[in-house]
Amino acid sequence: MAGIGQGPGPDAVFAAKLAEGVFEIQKCGGCGTHVFHPRVICPACGSADLGWIAPTGRGTVYARTVVRRKPERGGDYNVVLVDLEEGVRMMSRIDGIAHDQIVAGLKVTASIGEGAEGDPAVVFRPEGEAN
């Protein structure tokens, strides 16, 4: 791992990995804590020994909301908080399901999709659905 202040920051590394079709989160080599959002220091123990690992991609919806927009402005979209099996919480969206079917406790699987600005982003689908 590059030392603090050397090379691209962790947000840039995360974005570059997504652009290559790879979803990874950090894991602390000091205490084993999984970390998301990308950071330079482990929030649990303060170690700078953060490496990148591929999570299972499986998670559970913690909470959701639906942002209402007129159809000519792109229509409604959902925003969810998902707890990954590794113990981190991510904000994202769920594709492939009606907004009113998204409930807390829904099992989901991560994939790489398109974000609001057209850039790669982690999105979720109900568990068992093809990506």
Side-chain angles (χ1 to χ4, degrees), residues 5-6 11 14-15 17-19 23 38 43 48-49 51 54-55 59 67 77 82 103 110 118 125 129-130:
Q6 299 174 340
D11 285 332
F14 178 73
K17 287 176 177 293
L18 286 181
F23 170 40
D49 184 17
V67 178
Y77 65 94
V82 173
V103 295
R125 290 191 160 280
E129 286 199 10

Side-chain angles (χ1 to χ4, degrees), residues 61 63-71 74-80 92-104 106 108 124 126 129:
V61 172
R64 69 101 176 152
T65 191
V66 176
V67 178
R68 304 289 182 189
R69 294 190 302 190
K70 294 180 179 180
D76 299 347
Y77 65 94
N78 66 75
V79 178
V80 295
S92 184
R93 75 171 190 267
I94 298 179
D95 291 342
I97 188 172
H99 300 310
D100 62 354
Q101 293 180 329
I102 301 169
V103 295
L106 178 70
V108 294
F124 292 87
E129 286 199 10

